[in-house]
Amino acid sequence: MNRDRHATDPASARTATTQELRDRYLIDELFADGEVRTVHTAEDRMLVAGVVPGDDDLVLGDIAALGDGGLDRREFGVINLGTPGEVLVDGEPYALDHRDGLYAGRGSRLAFRGRGARFYVVTALAHTTHPTVHIPFAASAPLELGTEDGGGRRALHRYVWGDGDVASCQLQFGVTVLHPGAVWNTFPPHLHERRTEIYLYFELDEAARVVHLMGEPEHTRHLIVRNEEAVIAPRWSIHSGAGTGRYSFVWAMAGDNRDYGDLAPVPVEQLR
């Protein structure tokens, strides 16, 4: 199943119904047993995929929204949300444990195997080719953020980012894990005026939810998000949230640069 999303403007989000917000920004039903499912957004031309292998390997193949050979001009980030599995990059296998990441350069051919593995793939346009790198979660040094009193103490694991060891054209991604008792992520919020960011929430209990804040700072909106659902944040939208229970999320960005610190903080007093 392949889906396509148009670019949006902030004015339309101010008056959108709940269903219209979900149709434009929420990515749901991305993971299905034995399938590759994709969502392409015109926001910085990002594409995400959910890949759930069974007994047979699954291949990330041509996608209608990109046209023939559309994957040839893209770089890839992969994170395993499930039990151990393998990603084959041009036929070379890489073993990914839970939360492990992988970067694959422009034009790579990806296949996936491993019953119980659940692969989340993010892709962005690329103008040059960089080498494939396996990024184990256990080897990624976390950046500790937030406070216990503020309900947002969390560990940010940067897999591919501007000052890191793994080169990319424009793609950045990683995993943030909340500490026990924490509920808030990315608060106070911020904007990326030259990039799109997508959050994929995972490790939520079945009955748990995240209240994800989006929209302009002066016109905030919200989405109710379940496990393994994602939210697209265009350049004009904040991205923040609070959960009813412990969770983790994958963050991925693409746009004009790889400067991780290129963001515009939004004071809490500005939120409406």
Side-chain angles (χ1 to χ4, degrees), residues 52-100:
V52 187
D55 294 328
D56 299 320
D57 294 358
L58 291 178
V59 175
L60 186 63
D62 287 340
I63 295 162
L66 306 183
D68 293 341
L71 292 177
D72 295 347
R73 300 179 295 276
R74 288 181 170 268
E75 58 186 349
F76 307 85
V78 182
I79 293 179
N80 183 10
L81 310 182
T83 58
E86 285 187 339
V87 180
L88 287 77
V89 182
D90 298 326
E92 181 73 20
Y94 294 84
L96 269 63
D97 288 332
H98 181 62
R99 295 181 182 165
D100 279 4

Side-chain angles (χ1 to χ4, degrees), residues 20-40:
E20 287 171 339
L21 290 174
R22 294 177 69 85
D23 291 342
R24 296 171 188 172
Y25 306 105
L26 183 71
I27 300 174
D28 60 358
E29 299 182 351
L30 189 62
F31 298 90
D33 290 346
E35 293 187 29
V36 176
R37 294 186 170 186
T38 66
V39 173
H40 170 262

